[in-house]
């Protein structure tokens, strides 16, 4: 079951019995979900199994406000209470993490970084909708997606999962747990191997993921250490071009960029250490190390340069929980991180196209730089139980980020040998060595009121931010020599109503946000940070149980995201226009039927509203509706499952876009497909 509503907690209303608990870590320590004022959604393991999680976008479709745009293979573009985020540093708009540890170092995010997570075996996924900077810092601008891994002490035994589907899709997963003693010491291992031929030409994917974790106890302390490694080898399919090209059954399967690829690997090691001091306080320490490397062909750029990037980082996240009295508690700590990253861009062959493109985009190295980054962030959050009905929470975080940039090439706007380009100079500009500092404060204030033993009213004011990413600061173009960028900031206000019932539960949330210092590339290809946007929306989640065997779940959103500055693009003022790639309506609707303990079925309707594909609001994608069916049969230790996706074989686009160079272009959606799987528990 997907739990969108923040309604399960240890909180007791007056003399009523305590509500069943669902523990989350969104507050930096384990607590009941309804004790959090933020809008928090939880996608549990049952939903992940039904979705099959062949792509992370499928797993998050049940979250209100989440609208990830799936690309080719394992690629995607994020959207969480936001338009679909694009651009070099747009990945900083949504923080992604595993067990509370960000997947990427601050300043070195990647737009597709969730493919480095091990979501296939997750216990659940926690999603904070809206700014989460107070507890999580930079990049939690629009929210947080946190993959919670399974605990080795939960079960003894193992699981074998085998799945097959169209286009030579095969996946094998093995998970095993072993307990060493009754104190809770244990070890778990996970291995998932996936190969997919792709439904478009030359679009295959091979991916391997492995995880080992160990839990030990020393006195009252608990230490959970995990090592995760992932590897991705992908043949990338580009856009198909032409008005409504996704509707052409022949064209939608083609790949105009068969030479494109993406190779990426990541390794992470971290520990989650709980150190109880007494019954009123405890310390949490989370030291970690991570390393990533990636190579991919930028097939979408003239000259198709090859990019190589990577980063290594070490850090520690700390938390101190103190119960001052029965009605007041404090969470505080310091997060710090040291990272080293690099980027190399090389073009091997002459640029095709006009004489201007050939002259200004030279063969050879375009960029070659290294950046050392250091972050320090103290924070504090207070929760005050004013009465049995009223709870108030507030907090603040200060974060300092420092970059030390080292250019390994000649500075300026020349080719790698120092030769000037015709037509005014080369496209690529390399700043001289420099240092950049950013300091930010992120406060929040919220309240939760129990109107009855089944009804909650909550509200929150919060501010989020993201620092400029290294690619925005040091990967410049044309005559720009310094990118004087400010951190993006967002101010948010939300109010919500939750009903907690035996057969009917729902959550309704309305929010409004204003974002300033939006970083964008202007008509002169300069990186600027004087953009503004405004956002408002309504989210609704409903869970209604008709009978013990029949239940309906609804997750739906209405949102408007508009430009709010004086920018002009090709003579058109953008102020007041809708941001492109931002449908007003989207959602998922599911009907569950379980006539007995052996059989279960789920019918799913996915809705994507229409949206503009260009900032001037001149071109539009009409939207689409998809129908899916999930079936499962359980017998002893075996479970057999079938997923039928896009039942009606509808022609649609996972993402639609408009380019002034090529016109309308699309990532075609997959036609009707059937997947079969079998699980064996031992």
């Amino acid at each position: 079951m997907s739990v969108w509503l923040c309604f399960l907690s240890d909180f007791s209303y007056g003399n009523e019995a305590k509500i069943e608990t669902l523990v989350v870590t969104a507050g930096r320590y384990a607590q009941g979900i309804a004790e959090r004022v933020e809008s928090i959604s939880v996608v549990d393991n049952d939903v992940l199994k039904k979705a099959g999680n062949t792509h992370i976008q499928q797993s998050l479709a049940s979250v209100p406000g989440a609208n990830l745009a799936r690309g080719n293979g394992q690629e995607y573009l994020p959207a969480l209470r936001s338009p679909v985020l694009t651009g070099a540093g747009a990945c900083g708009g949504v923080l992604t993490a595993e067990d509370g540890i960000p997947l990427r170092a601050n300043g070195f995010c990647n737009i597709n970084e969730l493919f480095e997570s091990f979501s296939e075996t997750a216990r659940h996924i926690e999603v904070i909708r809206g700014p989460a900077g107070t507890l999580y810092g930079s990049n939690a601008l629009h929210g947080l997606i946190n993959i919670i891994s399974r605990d080795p002490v939960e079960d003894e035994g193992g699981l074998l999962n085998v799945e097959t589907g169209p286009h030579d899709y095969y996946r094998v997963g093995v998970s095993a747990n072993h307990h060493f003693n009754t104190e809770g010491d244990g070890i778990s291992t996970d291995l998932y191997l996936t190969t997919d031929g792709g439904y478009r030409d030359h679009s295959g994917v091979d991916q391997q993921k492995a995880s080992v974790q160990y839990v030990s106890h020393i006195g009252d302390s608990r230490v959970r250490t995990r090592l995760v490694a992932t590897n991705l080898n992908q043949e990338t399919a580009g856009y198909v071009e032409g008005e409504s090209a996704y509707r052409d059954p022949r064209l939608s399967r083609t790949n105009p960029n068969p030479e494109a690829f993406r190779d990426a690997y990541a390794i992470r090691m971290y520990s989650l250490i709980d150190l109880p001091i007494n019954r009123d306080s405890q310390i949490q320490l989370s030291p970690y190390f991570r390393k990533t490397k990636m190579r991919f062909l930028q097939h979408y750029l003239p000259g198709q340069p090859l990019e190589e990037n990577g980063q290594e980082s070490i850090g520690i996240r700390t938390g101190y929980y103190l119960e001052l009295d029965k009605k007041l508690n404090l969470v505080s700590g310091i997060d710090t991180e040291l990272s080293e990253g690099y980027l190399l861009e090389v073009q091997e062959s002459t640029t095709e196209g006009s004489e201007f493109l050939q002259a200004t985009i030279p063969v050879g190295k375009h960029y070659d730089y290294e950046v050392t980054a250091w972050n320090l962030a103290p924070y504090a959050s207070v929760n005050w139980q004013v009465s049995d009905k009223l709870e108030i929470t507030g907090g603040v975080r200060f974060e300092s980020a420092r970059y030390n940039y080292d250019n390994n090439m000649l500075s300026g706007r020349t080719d790698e040998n120092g030769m000037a380009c015709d037509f005014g100079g080369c496209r690529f500009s390399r700043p001289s060595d420099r240092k950049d500092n950013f300091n930010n404060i992120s406060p929040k204030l919220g309240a939760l009121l129990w109107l009855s033993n089944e009804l909650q009213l909550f509200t929150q004011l919060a501010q989020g931010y993201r620092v400029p990413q290294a690619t925005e600061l040091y990967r410049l173009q044309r005559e720009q020599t310094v990118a004087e960028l400010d951190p993006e900031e967002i101010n948010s206000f939300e109010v919500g109503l939750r009903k907690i019932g035996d057969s009917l539960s729902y959550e309704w949330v309305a929010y409004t946000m204003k974002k300033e210092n939006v970083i964008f590339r202007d008509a002169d290809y300069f990186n600027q940070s004087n953009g503004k946007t405004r956002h408002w929306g309504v989210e609704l989640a409903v869970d209604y149980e008709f009978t013990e065997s029949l239940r309906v779940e609804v997750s739906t959103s209405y949102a408007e995201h508009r430009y709010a500055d004086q920018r002009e693009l090709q003579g058109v003022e953008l102020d007041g226009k809708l941001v492109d790639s931002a449908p007003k309506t989207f959602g998922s609707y599911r009907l569950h039927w379980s006539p007995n303990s052996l059989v279960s079925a789920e019918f799913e309707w996915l809705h994507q509203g229409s949206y503009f594909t260009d900032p001037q609001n001149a071109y539009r994608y009409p939207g689409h509706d998809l129908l899916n069916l999930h079936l499962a049969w359980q017998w002893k230790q075996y479970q057999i499952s079938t997923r039928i996706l896009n039942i009606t074989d509808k022609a649609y686009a996972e993402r639609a876009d408009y380019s002034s160079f090529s016109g309308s272009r699309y990532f075609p959606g997959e036609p009707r497909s059937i997947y079969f799987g079998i699980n064996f528990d031992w």
Side-chain angles (χ1 to χ4, degrees):
M1 172 183 176
S2 175
V3 184
W4 315 281
L5 312 185
C6 308
F7 63 100
L8 302 177
S9 76
D10 286 331
F11 184 88
S12 59
Y13 174 80
N15 295 321
E16 297 290 337
K18 290 186 177 182
I19 300 170
E20 181 186 359
T21 61
L22 175 64
V23 175
V24 297
T25 60
R28 299 288 295 261
Y29 67 98
Q31 64 179 152
I33 193 171
E35 297 175 41
R36 303 300 307 167
V37 174
E38 298 98 338
S39 299
I40 302 175
S41 300
V42 176
V43 184
D44 71 12
N45 187 259
D46 286 343
V47 174
L48 296 176
K49 287 181 179 178
K50 289 176 183 176
N53 200 24
T54 56
H55 193 282
I56 190 66
Q57 179 250 14
Q58 297 169 324
S59 299
L60 297 176
S62 61
V63 176
N67 189 37
L68 275 67
R70 183 174 179 176
N72 181 74
Q74 290 297 304
E75 297 176 351
Y76 69 93
L77 294 174
L80 184 60
R81 281 194 183 174
S82 70
V84 170
L85 301 173
T86 62
C91 46
V94 178
L95 182 65
T96 64
E98 199 163 61
D99 290 327
I101 310 295
L103 293 174
R104 287 294 187 106
N106 195 11
F108 302 98
C109 71
N110 182 268
I111 204 74
N112 307 286
E113 62 196 26
L114 273 170
F115 63 51
E116 297 173 355
S117 70
F118 210 149
S119 55
E120 291 83 351
T121 61
R123 182 172 59 186
H124 61 261
I125 301 177
E126 300 173 1
V127 182
I128 297 181
R129 299 154 13 227
T134 302
L135 292 178
Y136 287 92
S138 180
N139 292 20
L141 187 72
H142 287 276
L144 166 74
I145 300 174
N146 190 16
I147 312 294
I148 305 300
S149 65
R150 65 187 190 88
D151 197 306
V153 302
E154 290 178 345
D155 298 293
E156 175 78 16
L159 171 69
L160 172 65
N161 170 267
V162 180
E163 191 173 35
T164 184
H167 322 299
D168 297 320
Y169 173 85
Y170 302 97
R171 181 169 69 179
V172 177
V174 181
S175 299
N177 289 351
H178 178 65
H179 299 169
F180 293 118
N181 50 47
T182 58
E183 283 72 34
D185 293 357
I187 189 171
S188 72
T189 57
D190 300 283
L191 176 65
Y192 266 66
L193 308 175
T194 303
T195 182
D196 185 357
Y199 68 95
R200 299 174 62 190
D201 297 338
H202 306 286
S203 61
V205 175
D206 292 299
Q207 189 170 38
Q208 306 86 40
K209 297 183 179 183
S211 169
V212 178
Q213 55 181 322
Y214 176 71
V215 171
S216 62
H217 292 77
I218 304 174
D220 294 331
S221 302
R222 186 178 193 266
V223 181
R224 180 179 169 199
T225 300
R226 187 168 186 242
L227 175 65
V228 185
T230 66
N231 181 69
L232 174 70
N233 302 107
Q234 173 179 299
E235 296 179 83
T236 303
Y239 287 105
V240 294
E241 299 175 354
E243 184 64 32
S244 300
Y246 64 93
R247 293 180 176 175
D248 185 326
R250 183 196 61 82
L251 186 60
S252 64
R253 291 179 177 269
T254 62
N255 177 11
N257 301 107
E259 71 283 358
F261 71 93
R262 182 185 298 270
D263 294 332
Y265 88 85
I267 185 170
R268 300 183 300 279
M269 185 172 183
Y270 57 88
S271 291
L272 308 175
I273 306 171
D274 296 323
L275 303 172
I277 299 175
N278 51 50
R279 61 181 299 176
D280 298 325
S281 62
Q282 71 176 44
I283 293 175
Q284 291 183 334
L285 304 176
S286 300
Y288 59 88
F289 164 80
R290 61 191 166 209
K291 180 176 181 178
T292 69
K293 280 190 176 182
M294 184 181 297
R295 298 175 67 250
F296 67 99
L297 190 69
Q298 299 178 88
H299 60 276
Y300 44 85
L301 295 179
Q304 296 189 328
L306 177 70
E307 179 182 322
E308 298 183 21
N309 64 66
Q311 57 93 11
E312 295 182 1
S313 53
I314 57 172
I316 185 169
R317 299 172 71 83
T318 70
Y320 173 60
Y321 172 79
L322 175 62
E323 187 176 301
L324 299 171
D325 58 43
K326 293 183 178 180
K327 295 185 177 182
L328 186 65
N329 59 62
L330 168 71
V331 179
S332 62
I334 298 176
D335 299 336
T336 187
E337 178 178 272
L338 178 64
S339 308
E340 291 186 352
Y342 71 89
L343 184 143
L344 174 66
E345 180 178 303
V346 181
Q347 182 172 318
E348 297 181 352
S349 58
T350 303
T351 304
E352 296 182 0
S354 66
E355 184 180 353
F356 173 78
L357 289 176
Q358 294 180 21
T360 58
I361 303 178
V363 173
K365 288 199 296 185
H366 297 163
Y367 303 100
D368 182 3
Y369 65 76
E370 298 174 354
V371 178
T372 300
W374 180 66
N375 291 77
L376 181 67
Y379 68 91
S381 179
V382 175
N383 187 279
W384 178 27
Q385 194 73 51
V386 180
S387 67
D388 288 342
K389 299 182 180 181
L390 179 62
E391 175 184 333
I392 294 177
T393 183
V396 66
R397 180 188 188 94
F398 171 79
E399 182 163 335
S400 177
R402 299 182 180 181
Y403 295 158
N404 188 350
Y405 160 79
D406 184 12
N407 179 27
N408 296 325
M409 295 179 61
L410 293 171
S411 300
R413 190 184 176 189
T414 66
D415 69 9
E416 65 175 325
N417 300 312
M419 298 294 294
C421 297
D422 294 335
F423 294 95
C426 301
R427 170 174 291 191
F428 309 102
S429 177
R430 297 171 293 273
S432 301
D433 295 354
R434 57 180 290 113
K435 296 180 180 180
D436 292 281
N437 300 321
F438 303 97
N439 297 312
N440 296 276
I441 295 177
S442 180
K444 69 171 184 178
L445 179 65
L448 185 149
L449 177 66
W450 286 79
L451 303 176
S452 71
N453 63 341
E454 289 191 348
L455 201 60
Q456 278 186 337
L457 177 69
F458 67 94
T459 184
Q460 179 173 250
L461 285 164
Q463 185 180 72
Y465 62 93
R466 79 163 180 91
V467 297
Q469 303 298 295
T471 53
E472 296 171 312
L473 289 167
Y474 310 122
R475 197 175 184 171
L476 306 182
Q477 294 194 11
R478 301 192 178 182
E479 62 264 31
Q480 188 174 27
T481 58
V482 176
E484 297 179 348
L485 304 180
D486 296 318
E488 289 190 358
E489 296 181 352
I490 196 167
N491 295 301
S492 169
F493 171 74
E494 66 179 310
V495 60
L497 187 68
R498 303 184 186 114
K499 176 179 169 55
I500 305 161
D502 293 331
S503 61
L504 173 64
S505 298
Y506 62 79
E507 178 183 86
W508 170 88
V509 181
Y511 67 87
T512 179
M513 302 187 297
K514 184 177 181 181
K515 187 158 66 170
E516 298 182 342
N517 303 329
V518 176
I519 299 173
F520 65 95
R521 180 162 285 180
D522 65 16
D524 295 320
Y525 293 85
F526 286 12
N527 287 344
Q528 305 281 7
S529 64
N530 57 351
K532 296 180 181 180
T533 55
R534 59 180 184 270
H535 316 256
W536 73 270
V538 179
E539 299 164 351
L540 176 65
V542 179
D543 189 336
Y544 180 58
E545 188 177 273
F546 292 97
T547 66
E548 290 185 359
S549 61
L550 194 63
R551 191 178 80 252
V552 64
E553 294 182 348
V554 173
S555 169
T556 188
S557 304
Y558 179 93
E560 292 189 11
H561 309 281
R562 296 184 182 273
Y563 295 101
D565 56 64
Q566 302 304 312
R567 270 182 286 169
E568 285 191 6
L569 188 60
Q570 296 176 340
V572 177
E573 293 185 1
L574 299 186
D575 187 20
K577 293 192 177 297
L578 289 166
V579 180
D580 48 300
S581 300
K584 290 184 178 181
T585 61
F586 57 90
S588 64
Y589 313 87
R590 292 168 300 282
L591 181 65
H592 305 265
W593 181 56
S594 299
N596 53 54
S597 60
L598 301 179
V599 178
S600 65
E602 178 185 272
F603 183 73
E604 181 182 44
W605 167 30
L606 299 178
H607 169 70
Q608 178 76 270
S610 66
Y611 56 87
F612 289 110
T613 58
D614 67 313
Q616 299 96 321
N617 292 183
Y619 299 89
R620 180 189 291 269
Y621 172 68
H624 59 259
D625 294 277
L626 303 177
L627 301 178
N628 303 323
L629 181 64
H630 304 261
L631 302 171
W633 179 61
Q634 184 78 43
W635 182 70
K636 295 184 178 180
Q637 296 121 310
Y638 296 90
Q639 183 187 70
I640 299 174
S641 62
T642 299
R643 292 181 288 121
I644 307 175
L645 306 182
N646 193 5
I647 295 173
T648 61
D649 201 23
K650 184 177 182 61
Y652 73 101
E654 293 282 4
R655 169 165 164 74
D657 188 25
Y658 181 84
S659 167
S660 58
F661 296 102
S662 58
S664 295
R665 53 186 188 173
Y666 310 90
F667 280 125
E670 188 169 358
R672 179 172 50 240
S673 54
I674 304 176
Y675 294 82
F676 298 95
I678 182 169
N679 291 344
F680 172 66
D681 291 291
W682 73 83

